[in-house]
Amino acid sequence: MNLQLFDTSAGEKRLFEPLVPGKATVYVCGPTVYNFAHIGNARPAVVFDVLVRLLRTYLDVTYARNITDVDDKINKAAKEQCCSIGEISARYREAYHEDMAALGVLPPDIEPHATEHIEEMCDMIARLVEDGHAYAAEGHVLFSVESFDEYGSLSGRDLREMIAGARVEIAPYKRHPADFVLWKPAADDEPGWESPWGRGRPGWHIECSAMIEKHLGDQIDIHGGGQDLVFPHHENERAQSTCAHGGKSFVNFWMHNGFLSMNSTKMSKSLGNVLLVRDLRDEAKGEAIRLALLSAHYRQPLDWTDNTLTEATRKLDRMYTALQRADAAAGKLIPAADTIPESVRAALADDLNTPKALAALFELVRALNSSDEIRTQCELAGAIRAGGDVIGLLADNPDDWFAADQGDLDVASIEQLIADRASAKAARDFGEADRIRDLLTEQGIRISDGPEGTRWQRVAGGGAK
Ligand code: AMP
Ligand code: ZN
């Protein structure tokens, strides 16, 4: 496949050629588990899931996505909620798994936990100290940025600018202001592990370097994460791993997704505009959330608005309607074709251009809608399903997709609510009447008042999960 991927390190798209023919190793920085995932956290998981699905169409892929289960934020949450860090991380790891499954994100092949790799981290730190790339000072171990000539080249930073730009007070034990922590001491009431440098815990960056080394080796094909990770996290991972492996190049392709904002503002807890995947799942199906996340190119910013999910649901309704009609004509569920439609494949091969791939799927849907010939319909529906598979969409049976829209209300309950609304109106209790109308709308029931009374219908795309 002529797969072009944008490599942050090169600053341009390059032809992807696996390090070992026929195979690919992919590592993506996973969540720090101290809270429910927000929709921004879901973006890298979904984007790299599409990448892995695409790579799997022609390569044997090993995909690892870690769980960061030791962190100041986890410690804080554990203290606040009076439980152990293990309980906090287990709770939010499970929640993360549920949320990602709802978005059609396939589990990675390997999901290493930081706390289960402390030995590997200490081992790597010891090698860095031995080779003069790191030094111990006051219970800390620091990486010496001056020991690595290429430091700063991934993020395009110059060491001299970093000194000038350093606003925070610099710890006195650092030889260079940009030196970063590999190991730090833990207070008695903080989680910690025994090490040659005293009881302490690892720095965040060394976690990924050690887990990659253990599970994927010294060199990997693709390393991904959100744009905010380029510096310092990935710059530091690169420095550690390259130095621990005698200068061997660490990552062939660095890939970073752009940020998700909300109604043009940055999503942040202090602004109170953080949208949890969990809550969005009450508003729309996971598949609609996934499609919404893929509607912009992964490197572009994605602005989430009040209409985003309605639009995504409508798009899926259109696609499933077309497939439902074709299935009905064929008298069976038309299976996915063996090959991905060329237009979808070409779009994804161009640096994972999902908006273009979705547009290509819609072209096929249009063609399907305008065809009356059963053979053509079968071909097109099979092609649409194959294209959907690689993007992680359209795996549902169309009848189930629409059936799930029907909410929990049965006909008797709907009729009862409509009668209650009529009584409320007669009693001039318009507030109550409106409340009942809203409740019905939420359940995907549209009502209209006419001369013969109130009529109702179920509408596709509204209502429940
Ligand atoms: P964290 O759990 O904060 O370590 O983040 C997990 C992943 O989500 C990282 O790859 C981040 O870069 C990414 N991420 C966090 N916030 C956003 C956002 N608003 N938009 C896109 N990606 C994000
Ligand atoms: Zn990482």
Side-chain angles (χ1 to χ4, degrees):
M1 184 183 306
N2 179 7
L3 174 59
Q4 297 281 334
L5 296 174
F6 187 94
D7 173 16
T8 307
S9 180
E12 60 183 11
K13 284 191 231 177
R14 291 168 48 215
L15 175 67
F16 176 74
E17 282 174 309
L19 296 169
V20 177
K23 294 188 173 191
T25 42
V26 181
Y27 183 92
V28 172
C29 297
T32 307
V33 280
Y34 68 100
N35 208 336
F36 291 114
H38 62 61
I39 187 66
N41 300 138
R43 195 177 190 194
V46 168
V47 161
F48 292 106
D49 180 64
V50 175
L51 174 69
V52 168
R53 283 170 187 257
L54 179 67
L55 293 171
R56 288 222 162 102
T57 62
Y58 74 110
L59 295 172
D60 176 9
V61 181
T62 309
Y63 175 33
R65 190 189 61 211
N66 74 297
I67 295 278
T68 297
D69 57 355
V70 47
D71 182 89
D72 287 341
K73 287 178 252 158
I74 301 176
N75 293 347
K76 191 165 166 259
K79 259 190 191 153
E80 281 165 7
Q81 298 174 39
C82 296
C83 56
S84 68
I85 60 161
E87 281 169 275
I88 290 285
S89 53
R91 184 184 313 155
Y92 292 109
R93 184 192 60 224
E94 291 318 312
Y96 184 78
H97 286 164
E98 270 173 38
D99 286 343
M100 293 311 115
L103 304 191
V105 174
L106 300 172
D109 301 303
I110 307 167
E111 191 178 53
H113 291 44
T115 51
E116 289 164 14
H117 295 77
I118 304 290
E119 212 180 300
E120 287 82 355
M121 295 174 206
C122 288
D123 177 65
M124 194 179 236
I125 296 171
R127 274 182 276 144
L128 289 169
V129 173
E130 211 173 286
D131 292 346
H133 292 293
Y135 56 94
E138 297 182 27
H140 294 73
V141 183
L142 292 131
F143 184 89
S144 162
V145 292
E146 285 171 312
S147 76
F148 181 48
D149 284 350
E150 289 170 36
Y151 190 77
S153 69
L154 173 64
S155 56
R157 278 158 209 248
D158 186 288
L159 264 188
R160 277 160 309 188
E161 283 167 24
M162 285 185 220
I163 304 172
R167 266 181 255 139
V168 282
E169 207 179 307
I170 294 150
Y173 48 79
K174 283 193 181 183
R175 290 186 193 159
H176 185 282
D179 288 353
F180 57 89
V181 159
L182 300 174
W183 189 263
K184 55 183 161 188
D188 287 343
D189 62 341
E190 278 175 354
W193 292 263
E194 290 308 327
S195 84
W197 314 281
R199 187 174 170 279
R201 61 202 169 94
W204 172 33
H205 318 302
I206 196 75
E207 296 176 9
C208 288
S209 283
M211 290 188 279
I212 292 173
E213 179 184 74
K214 166 148 190 215
H215 296 284
L216 302 177
D218 292 0
Q219 294 186 297
I220 61 171
D221 287 290
I222 298 172
H223 192 321
Q227 214 170 46
D228 56 326
L229 300 186
V230 178
F231 187 87
H233 187 51
H234 289 167
E235 189 72 69
N236 294 354
E237 266 188 47
R238 182 169 178 258
Q240 296 159 163
S241 296
T242 312
C243 293
H245 302 139
K248 214 191 284 175
S249 159
F250 171 42
V251 168
N252 198 5
F253 279 76
W254 287 96
M255 292 178 68
H256 296 97
N257 64 272
F259 252 47
L260 184 143
S261 57
M262 246 194 82
N263 296 315
S264 312
T265 5
K266 190 180 165 200
M267 228 175 32
S268 90
K269 279 199 196 127
S270 54
L271 293 173
N273 64 350
V274 171
L275 277 181
L276 300 183
V277 174
R278 195 134 284 243
D279 294 338
L280 289 174
R281 282 170 56 202
D282 286 334
E283 280 176 40
K285 290 185 194 143
E287 194 172 342
I289 304 174
R290 180 180 181 100
L291 185 139
L293 284 169
L294 296 172
S295 60
H297 186 261
Y298 77 93
R299 283 194 291 119
Q300 296 301 316
L302 170 60
D303 192 37
W304 198 271
T305 70
D306 299 340
N307 292 329
T308 301
L309 282 181
T310 322
E311 261 170 48
T313 303
R314 218 172 27 226
K315 282 182 188 160
L316 284 166
D317 281 344
R318 269 181 57 203
M319 295 205 242
Y320 275 116
T321 302
L323 291 173
Q324 195 173 38
R325 174 173 162 269
D327 289 345
K332 60 167 187 179
L333 268 188
I334 300 164
D338 292 337
T339 48
I340 311 166
E342 181 47 30
S343 53
V344 174
R345 202 200 53 78
L348 295 177
D350 180 12
D351 192 28
L352 227 55
N353 193 333
T354 52
K356 207 165 156 197
L358 290 169
L361 268 190
F362 270 107
E363 273 305 316
L364 295 168
V365 168
R366 260 188 291 278
L368 175 55
N369 284 339
S370 57
S371 161
D372 283 325
E373 226 233 334
I374 293 192
R375 234 189 72 200
T376 314
Q377 288 188 22
C378 282
E379 267 173 33
L380 287 166
I384 292 167
R385 286 202 161 109
D389 272 352
V390 70
I391 307 173
L393 298 172
L394 302 175
D396 220 353
N397 176 328
D399 293 343
D400 293 344
W401 168 264
F402 289 115
D405 278 336
Q406 291 180 0
D408 296 331
L409 291 182
D410 56 22
V411 173
S413 314
I414 296 167
E415 300 282 0
Q416 181 62 56
L417 282 165
I418 288 174
D420 292 347
R421 177 171 167 268
S423 310
K425 273 170 94 172
R428 306 190 66 75
D429 186 354
F430 298 112
E432 171 65 359
D434 286 349
R435 190 192 67 79
I436 296 174
R437 174 193 280 268
D438 290 348
L439 195 149
L440 288 163
T441 311
E442 265 169 37
Q443 294 293 321
I445 311 295
R446 182 187 297 148
I447 54 175
S448 47
D449 296 319
E452 309 88 10
T454 301
R455 297 162 67 108
W456 63 269
Q457 66 178 132
R458 295 191 198 271
V459 283
K465 296 176 226 193

